[in-house]
Amino acid sequence: MTYNFDEIIDRRNTGAIKVERCKALYGSEDVLPLWVADMDFRTPDFIFEAIRERCEHPILGYSMPPKEFYPSLIDWINNHHQWEVKRQWIGFLPGIVPGLSFAVQSLTQPGDEVIVQPPVYYPFFHVVKNNNRVIVNNPLKTVNGKFEMDFEDLESKITPNTKLFILCNPHNPGGRVWNNETLYRLAEICAKHRIIVVSDEIHADMVLTGHKHTPFATVSGDAAQISLTFMAPSKTFNMPGLISSSYIIPNEELRKRFVDFLEASELTGGNIFAYAATVACYEKGEEWRKQMLEYVQGNVDFVVDFLKANIPQIKPMIPEASFLIWLDCEELGMETDELFDFFAKKAGLGLNKGTTFGTGGEYHLRLNVASSRLILKKAMKQLLNAVIR
Ligand SMILES: Cc1ncc(COP(=O)(O)O)c(C=O)c1O
């Protein structure tokens, strides 16, 4: 079966944040919304079928995950990432961002230091700050157009109060797929200083052509023992509104501390539709995933080529994973706020402002290309007209 990703679907009046918040953020409902990291593609049919099938039963009572839930996840991770995960290591998590907050709350104390690598997905800051922990920034360096970790800076910032490191693997923004060597070095440093690593791997199943995802926990024995890994089908299969993710924690003591917190807060259960949809993704989603990634790769190539040929002042960081392009707009000669306004008001485009991702976000915007190619063509045309005007 060939899926149609060219289709344009009207998302107005569905509560879609990407659309509903445009007026408040960009000053108009008419901007093309290319920001929130969900896709404008139709959520695949096998997900709706699974939900419909569950609706055939007349009672939507309190339910456990179906018996296929964990085996389908274990098989998926083994087949896609060559990681043999044991059943007792894993459990349901009601969202990855909530999971990050639970990790902060269960594994650190108020006042402890938590390391993040900006520019990075902004809720990483919120879960630290809002729980009264201290953010320590270990900014990424840009080397030959790609993000690299700065280990010297990292080691210089670790103190006896540094307890947790939140890793984005692959990285958002920028779509960097961290390789074995980088993750191994990170694990060495964190193990030496007894720092726990939470590896957010929500983008793991969306690695683009020529790249391969490496789960942090697989790079060494230390990495497995000091880490919590969070994964989800939600972003890959465009169903983040259903809220379904999982934790994987090989170390028994760490797992106990985390799970005790979940249990004490009554946070261990999901909803029946999320369970059914998750099984459907892992059992039936491979063909859709492949075709979706091929289409996204085509969109990335289109935008990169268009900018190179027509607006070379804007330099895209070429993503190795996912559908988010990090645009370096410094050569347009505007401050970040001005740039954001220029995109919204002159080009009619709603993108994420770079500085929301912290240090290193100055002069940048993040562009979501998980839309119909026709929309992206329109967006690039509007941008070009604004720049040459
Ligand atoms: C790195 C990263 N983590 C987590 C999330 C969201 O996860 P969830 O919806 O499960 O809280 C996103 C969404 O953009 C993301 O990019």
Side-chain angles (χ1 to χ4, degrees):
M1 168 166 187
T2 306
Y3 295 98
N4 177 13
F5 298 97
D6 285 327
E7 184 185 17
I8 297 173
I9 299 172
D10 187 351
R11 299 183 67 180
R12 284 173 301 176
N13 303 317
T14 64
I17 295 173
K18 196 189 244 170
V19 176
E20 306 292 345
R21 299 258 306 132
C22 278
K23 178 102 176 86
L25 281 172
Y26 305 104
S28 162
E29 278 165 3
D30 292 331
V31 295
L32 287 178
L34 302 168
W35 60 298
V36 173
D38 60 20
M39 307 181 187
D40 293 330
F41 306 142
R42 179 178 289 273
T43 300
D45 278 353
F46 47 81
I47 293 177
F48 289 107
E49 279 156 19
I51 291 171
R52 263 185 228 115
E53 195 182 314
R54 183 58 189 83
C55 287
E56 293 293 313
H57 193 278
I59 299 176
L60 304 176
Y62 292 120
S63 301
M64 305 186 333
K67 64 179 187 322
E68 300 85 7
F69 187 85
Y70 291 110
S72 68
L73 171 64
I74 290 169
D75 282 353
W76 180 274
I77 295 173
N78 197 357
N79 292 336
H80 289 79
H81 308 300
Q82 292 69 55
W83 183 17
E84 280 184 41
V85 169
K86 294 205 168 67
R87 169 63 190 93
Q88 67 268 28
W89 298 352
I90 56 183
F92 182 85
L93 199 56
I96 287 194
V97 173
L100 297 174
S101 177
F102 306 155
V104 168
Q105 292 176 72
S106 60
L107 304 172
T108 69
Q109 299 295 321
D112 282 350
E113 293 162 3
V114 179
I115 303 183
V116 296
Q117 295 184 306
V120 73
Y121 180 54
Y122 40 87
F124 283 25
F125 304 115
H126 303 165
V127 298
V128 178
K129 230 188 284 175
N130 296 344
N131 285 307
N132 301 316
R133 273 64 167 178
V134 178
I135 294 170
V136 176
N137 283 307
N138 168 223
L140 295 172
K141 298 184 290 190
T142 304
V143 181
N144 298 327
K146 290 179 178 200
F147 282 139
E148 295 288 349
M149 292 191 193
D150 186 342
F151 292 120
E152 221 172 279
D153 177 76
L154 173 62
E155 292 214 81
S156 76
K157 286 182 174 162
I158 293 171
T159 77
N161 291 331
T162 315
K163 297 291 160 54
L164 197 70
F165 183 106
I166 308 182
L167 170 68
C168 198
N169 178 34
H171 197 81
N172 169 19
R176 185 76 160 117
V177 173
W178 300 117
N179 64 21
N180 201 292
E181 198 188 343
T182 301
L183 297 174
Y184 183 89
R185 180 83 188 103
L186 178 66
E188 255 183 351
I189 295 171
C190 290
K192 182 171 142 201
H193 296 279
R194 307 182 70 77
I195 295 169
I196 298 163
V197 177
V198 188
S199 187
D200 174 342
E201 306 198 359
I202 196 170
H203 295 277
D205 295 319
M206 292 188 289
V207 165
L208 296 168
T209 316
H211 299 281
K212 171 116 183 66
H213 173 70
T214 304
F216 174 76
T218 63
V219 299
S220 66
D222 275 346
Q225 289 309 310
I226 62 170
S227 65
L228 298 80
T229 300
F230 296 161
M231 288 186 168
S234 54
K235 203 161 285 286
T236 309
F237 295 100
N238 206 25
M239 52 160 215
L242 280 176
I243 306 186
S244 177
S245 40
S246 304
Y247 64 79
I248 308 167
I249 312 173
N251 179 298
E252 195 177 339
E253 189 246 318
L254 215 53
R255 189 166 66 242
K256 183 170 176 350
R257 284 164 70 189
F258 186 72
V259 174
D260 281 354
F261 176 87
L262 294 184
E263 285 179 351
S265 315
E266 298 294 345
L267 288 164
T268 50
N271 78 71
I272 46 181
F273 300 123
Y275 293 149
T278 297
V279 174
C281 292
Y282 289 142
E283 289 188 346
K284 300 180 179 162
E286 186 56 7
E287 183 54 30
W288 187 89
R289 185 187 77 99
K290 280 190 185 145
Q291 290 186 32
M292 178 276 291
L293 287 176
E294 220 172 280
Y295 192 87
V296 166
Q297 182 70 63
N299 281 356
V300 168
D301 295 345
F302 164 70
V303 168
V304 169
D305 292 346
F306 184 94
L307 291 175
K308 197 170 172 196
N310 300 287
I311 322 175
Q313 307 91 301
I314 301 179
K315 303 205 163 26
M317 182 174 278
I318 299 184
E320 300 170 340
S322 207
F323 48 80
L324 306 163
I325 307 187
W326 188 233
L327 301 175
D328 176 351
C329 304
E330 188 167 5
E331 283 183 26
L332 288 178
M334 289 177 246
E335 291 300 322
T336 316
D337 286 349
E338 201 186 342
L339 191 63
F340 178 82
D341 278 352
F342 172 83
F343 268 69
K345 308 221 161 82
K346 299 264 165 47
L349 302 178
L351 274 64
N352 294 82
K353 191 190 286 186
T355 43
T356 14
F357 300 87
T359 309
E362 305 80 11
Y363 313 111
H364 283 77
L365 294 165
R366 193 191 71 175
L367 168 72
N368 180 342
V369 297
S371 264
S372 166
R373 187 110 9 112
L374 295 169
I375 296 287
L376 287 178
K377 285 186 176 164
K378 189 165 185 279
M380 287 300 112
K381 207 165 150 196
Q382 287 177 202
L383 182 57
L384 179 60
N385 285 341
V387 170
I388 60 181
R389 210 184 290 158

